[in-house]
Amino acid sequence: MMNYGAAENSASNNLHLITITENQDLSVDNSAWEKVWLLDSHLEVVMLVSVILNSMAAGIIFIFSNTVMPSLATLNADVGINIMNTINTIIVNPLFIIAFFGGLVSAYPTRVMMKNPDLYSKPARYYALASTVIFFLGEFMVTVTQNVPRNNALLVVDPESEDGQNYWEHNFLKRWIAWNTARGIFAAIAAALGGLSLCFMRKSPVE
């Protein structure tokens, strides 16, 4: 005679085991995703911030070379000079400084990783170093030595004068834009290298 109660209990137990197994698999999957997507240390957080800020700097620079400056070049020299001087005055504020130069925070994780080669893989260390050096020399130093001096010179020219017009058309629009484009390229490269460093931060030093 068939024992229906035993059969029901067996089916219930099997269903319970299946549920437990599925929950365990889901837990493992969630753990794996967390390991992949969640930042594991403060160094990763700082490097991610650097990548974001480097990308923001590259975006700001791109807008100027691609849109703002070509638009100003279509205007009369005196109008273009006055608008650019206004932009240069307003744009210097704490938020802009953070967005434009904040990517240099990558120097911190770079220093820590270079001092601890046994803890961090070679790609993570050298991508971080390359990102920091390229951003410092290619974005920060170009800004300080090439773009800012031209901004300052533009502030003191007479927009109505022939000298002011010549400076605007033959120096500022050509050389400022060229250096601006260069620093944008360097900022984008630094962001990419920082991202690569971030990807390798969890790799074993022996890998």
Side-chain angles (χ1 to χ4, degrees), residues 61-203:
I61 293 168
F62 172 78
I63 288 298
F64 269 86
S65 286
N66 183 72
T67 306
V68 175
M69 301 311 296
S71 298
L72 295 182
T74 65
L75 305 174
N76 291 335
D78 59 326
V79 177
I81 291 172
N82 286 326
I83 293 175
M84 190 64 190
N85 283 337
T86 301
I87 292 174
N88 287 333
T89 301
I90 294 175
I91 204 171
V92 181
N93 60 73
L95 286 178
F96 173 78
I97 297 300
I98 292 172
F100 209 66
F101 297 128
L104 288 173
V105 295
S106 63
Y108 170 64
T110 298
R111 181 175 181 273
V112 173
M113 288 191 291
M114 295 302 289
K115 290 182 66 176
N116 297 277
D118 295 336
L119 300 178
Y120 299 95
S121 68
K122 188 174 181 179
R125 289 182 281 124
Y126 283 97
Y127 279 135
L129 179 62
S131 175
T132 303
V133 171
I134 288 175
F135 189 82
F136 176 74
L137 295 177
E139 199 268 5
F140 179 79
M141 290 304 296
V142 166
T143 298
V144 171
T145 63
Q146 301 299 326
N147 295 95
V148 170
R150 288 182 168 83
N151 290 342
N152 293 336
L154 191 68
L155 282 171
V156 299
V157 302
D158 181 1
E160 305 289 342
S161 68
E162 184 177 348
D163 288 340
Q165 181 176 344
N166 287 334
Y167 178 76
W168 171 253
E169 293 177 351
H170 302 295
N171 187 315
F172 196 89
L173 286 179
K174 293 181 179 179
R175 297 178 185 176
W176 191 96
I177 293 177
W179 282 109
N180 185 68
T181 302
R183 63 180 175 172
I185 293 172
F186 286 126
I189 292 173
L193 291 171
L196 288 172
S197 175
L198 189 60
C199 292
F200 282 98
M201 274 188 174
R202 297 185 191 179
K203 295 289 185 180

Side-chain angles (χ1 to χ4, degrees), residues 8-23:
E8 289 178 357
N9 288 336
S10 177
S12 176
N13 290 336
N14 289 337
L15 180 61
H16 183 64
L17 288 174
I18 292 173
T19 302
I20 292 176
T21 302
E22 289 178 347
N23 289 337

